[in-house]
Amino acid sequence: MKHADVIVIGAGVAGLTAARLLQEHGLTVIVLEARERVGGRVHTMRDGRVTDLGASWIHGVDGSPVAAAAEAFGMPAVEFTVGGFQPDSRPIAYYGPDGTRLSDAEAARFAADIHEVDAALAAVVAVSASDASYRDVTEQAFLRRGWDAERTQRVREYFEHRAEEQYGVQIEDLAAHGLDDDSIEGDEVVFPNGYDELPRGLAEDLDIRLGRIVTGVEWSDGVRVRTADEHFTADAAVLTVPVGVLKGGDLEISPPLPAVNAAALARLEMNAFEKVILRFPARFWDADVYAIRQQGPEGRWWHSWYDLTPLHDEPTLLTFAAGAAARGIRDWDDDRVVDAVMAQLRRLFGPEVPAPVSIHRTAWQDDPFARGSYAYMTVGSTTADHDDLATPIGGVLHIAGEATWTDDPATVPAAMLSGHRAAGRIIGRAIAIESLWTQV
Ligand SMILES: Cc1cc2nc3c(=O)[nH]c(=O)nc-3n(C[C@H](O)[C@H](O)[C@H](O)COP(=O)(O)OP(=O)(O)OC[C@H]3O[C@@H](n4cnc5c(N)ncnc54)[C@H](O)[C@@H]3O)c2cc1C
């Protein structure tokens, strides 16, 4: 069949959510997916071990539709509440610029400084110029503290690293509002059996055509969608490709996007953010900490390691190359990455620290169907840009995906909620998101 009521482009969580809800409401739906798998940026590698290469966390399970779906799909979850770059949500081993461990009191003072700036930041952001960066507003918040240079620098580094790790971008390139919609309600969790059980659950019983790279979408009184050698027609379409693909030029939208969508898209950008997962023959760090963090210039690229050991009972650390670090290591081979990361770990834990038995690193920047890990708000953008990007086009074309959701964008829940919104708009009335997981 080359005609359906609705064509959904992209079988990530946004597309699968929209498709599933539309099909449940009696519409015929075809999902066109470029890859040979579903899930998009929720992707689990299964090579004898289970490794999430894309999303890992639900950043707060309270009220999360993703948490509800995961539970309904029987996905075991492990509590891991450090995914939002919190300074002290759970035990963290902090190391000072000289590589020595901070005492509990020193770490608590550092965390208190961060909380103080955080508390002051909302008011600074609220009155910031429309072209202010996250750097600008944090610097203003520091100035008002009257701290000495050393104390300010430690906290400055923390905010730099938070922008990098949360959004994969340097602090001066992120809009002042770029982090103020990030909130964590309840515990965070990760999935030892793989996050991809979520999209695989959502995909059941849908008509998904894999290996279909969409090259054109024409919209007028209906929608025509083309791949290299096929044409599909539909009354409406949901377009869920990442911002990087929308901006990349290989997918032609005709007529071009209306001004409101185009302006919003212009102000969003894909980031550079890669995971580096290291497995070790033995644990050399404390058993009772969730993460290891180092302060100071040596931590410019490698500052935080997350202990994934409890997931599979194998000593494992996850670190991120974000922003400049992600771009910097792009052309490095794995050995060079291991050397760079291990130089820092050996500085903190001693020269006898063993080499990892395996390393895996992601390459989302070079993935033609992602072109980065997720979108961030460039300087000059506003939080309204997310919603504006999803403004229905000609009553027939609906853009969805993580970048189109204002509340906690760049996440799996954002993708799911944006798919739900698109389905509701096509059906023409509010629909319950719960049927996504109660109907399976
Ligand atoms: C390294 C990394 C870590 C992350 N960590 C977290 C986390 O811990 N928690 C969290 O909540 N979120 C996290 N995220 C973000 C989360 O994965 C995404 O926000 C979410 O999965 C996006 O879903 P989506 O449906 O909007 O887009 P996608 O999953 O990208 O789906 C879009 C689909 O469109 C397809 N496509 C692209 N181009 C074409 C084309 N031309 N034709 C047809 N199909 C096409 C793609 O292949 C893809 O399947 C992370 C992402 C990455 C990469």
Side-chain angles (χ1 to χ4, degrees):
M1 180 170 89
K2 299 284 176 70
H3 179 85
D5 293 330
V6 183
I7 290 179
V8 173
I9 301 162
V13 169
L16 294 170
T17 297
R20 189 160 198 86
L21 291 171
L22 290 165
Q23 185 165 297
E24 273 166 18
H25 284 78
L27 301 188
T28 56
V29 183
I30 297 175
V31 183
L32 300 176
E33 167 55 49
R35 304 176 197 270
E36 294 296 341
R37 62 169 179 82
V38 301
R41 285 170 278 167
V42 176
H43 179 36
T44 307
M45 181 173 71
R46 298 169 191 283
D47 60 349
R49 297 171 168 121
V50 176
T51 310
D52 272 318
L53 302 179
S56 299
W57 272 274
I58 297 180
H59 296 300
V61 293
D62 290 359
S64 165
V66 172
E71 195 182 341
F73 293 160
M75 294 166 59
V78 170
E79 185 276 324
F80 203 57
T81 312
V82 288
F85 209 71
Q86 304 94 320
D88 57 355
S89 55
R90 295 290 186 273
I92 294 173
Y94 275 106
Y95 290 79
D98 63 357
T100 58
R101 179 86 176 254
L102 298 193
S103 68
D104 288 351
E106 287 167 330
R109 265 200 302 280
F110 174 57
D113 283 354
I114 292 162
H115 289 306
E116 188 179 323
V117 172
D118 254 338
L121 207 50
V124 179
V125 171
V127 296
S128 62
S130 59
D131 62 348
S133 71
Y134 203 63
R135 166 79 82 201
D136 296 331
V137 287
T138 52
E139 287 301 321
Q140 278 187 42
F142 299 151
L143 266 181
R144 294 178 192 185
R145 311 265 78 72
W147 293 336
D148 65 34
E150 175 72 14
R151 186 172 172 190
T152 303
Q153 180 56 20
R154 297 289 79 80
V155 180
R156 177 181 289 121
E157 287 162 6
Y158 177 87
F159 279 84
E160 289 169 350
H161 295 158
R162 188 158 81 179
E164 291 156 14
E165 216 176 274
Q166 291 296 92
Y167 274 93
V169 61
Q170 304 307 118
I171 194 166
E172 46 276 342
D173 296 329
L174 182 65
H177 286 277
L179 277 166
D180 62 3
D181 45 21
D182 271 36
S183 60
I184 291 176
E185 311 289 338
D187 283 349
E188 293 178 90
V189 297
V190 294
F191 298 102
N193 290 2
Y195 214 145
D196 72 346
E197 291 188 338
L198 175 79
R200 289 197 285 145
L202 294 173
E204 256 180 47
D205 301 326
L206 295 178
D207 178 355
I208 301 172
R209 319 261 174 113
L210 298 174
R212 304 302 208 287
I213 302 171
V214 171
T215 53
V217 177
E218 290 167 38
W219 56 275
S220 54
D221 52 351
V223 181
R224 281 170 62 83
V225 176
R226 65 173 188 275
T227 65
D229 44 24
E230 289 171 299
H231 281 86
F232 297 84
T233 56
D235 299 338
V238 183
L239 179 58
T240 73
V241 300
V243 156
V245 176
L246 283 176
K247 296 181 90 155
D250 293 343
L251 195 166
E252 185 196 3
I253 299 175
S254 163
L257 290 180
V260 64
N261 311 80
L265 180 62
R267 289 189 288 263
L268 294 165
E269 209 56 71
M270 288 307 272
N271 67 6
F273 179 77
E274 306 296 353
K275 285 180 161 178
V276 179
I277 300 131
L278 300 153
R279 293 189 166 87
F280 292 94
R283 187 206 288 267
F284 51 85
W285 57 95
D286 305 39
D288 57 355
V289 298
Y290 282 54
I292 301 155
R293 289 220 175 104
Q294 68 164 331
Q295 303 172 319
E298 292 281 340
R300 190 170 65 93
W301 282 11
W302 312 109
H303 48 79
S304 300
W305 293 265
Y306 298 91
D307 184 4
L308 299 187
T309 308
L311 268 69
H312 304 112
D313 217 15
E314 178 176 15
T316 306
L317 292 176
L318 163 68
T319 188
F320 296 101
R327 286 190 298 278
I329 66 163
R330 200 168 181 174
D331 300 324
W332 290 14
D333 63 19
D334 285 355
D335 288 345
R336 192 166 170 201
V337 174
V338 169
D339 286 348
V341 177
M342 292 310 295
Q344 294 305 326
L345 287 171
R346 291 192 172 115
R347 203 175 74 85
L348 305 181
F349 294 96
E352 65 285 355
V353 160
V357 291
S358 79
I359 172 188
H360 192 85
R361 54 197 272 235
T362 60
W364 291 101
Q365 300 165 83
D366 299 310
D367 181 324
F369 305 121
R371 303 188 189 215
S373 284
Y374 36 87
Y376 69 91
M377 292 166 58
T378 63
V379 170
S381 62
T382 73
T383 43
D385 286 333
H386 301 293
D387 282 335
D388 286 352
L389 180 57
T391 306
I393 300 165
V396 295
L397 179 59
H398 301 264
I399 299 182
E402 53 88 4
T404 68
W405 195 256
T406 297
D407 188 20
D408 292 337
T411 62
V412 178
M416 182 178 273
L417 289 162
S418 75
H420 170 243
R421 176 180 56 194
R425 284 177 173 168
I426 290 171
I427 290 169
R429 63 184 158 82
I431 56 174
I433 196 168
E434 288 77 11
S435 63
L436 268 184
W437 54 89
T438 53
Q439 302 292 317
V440 289

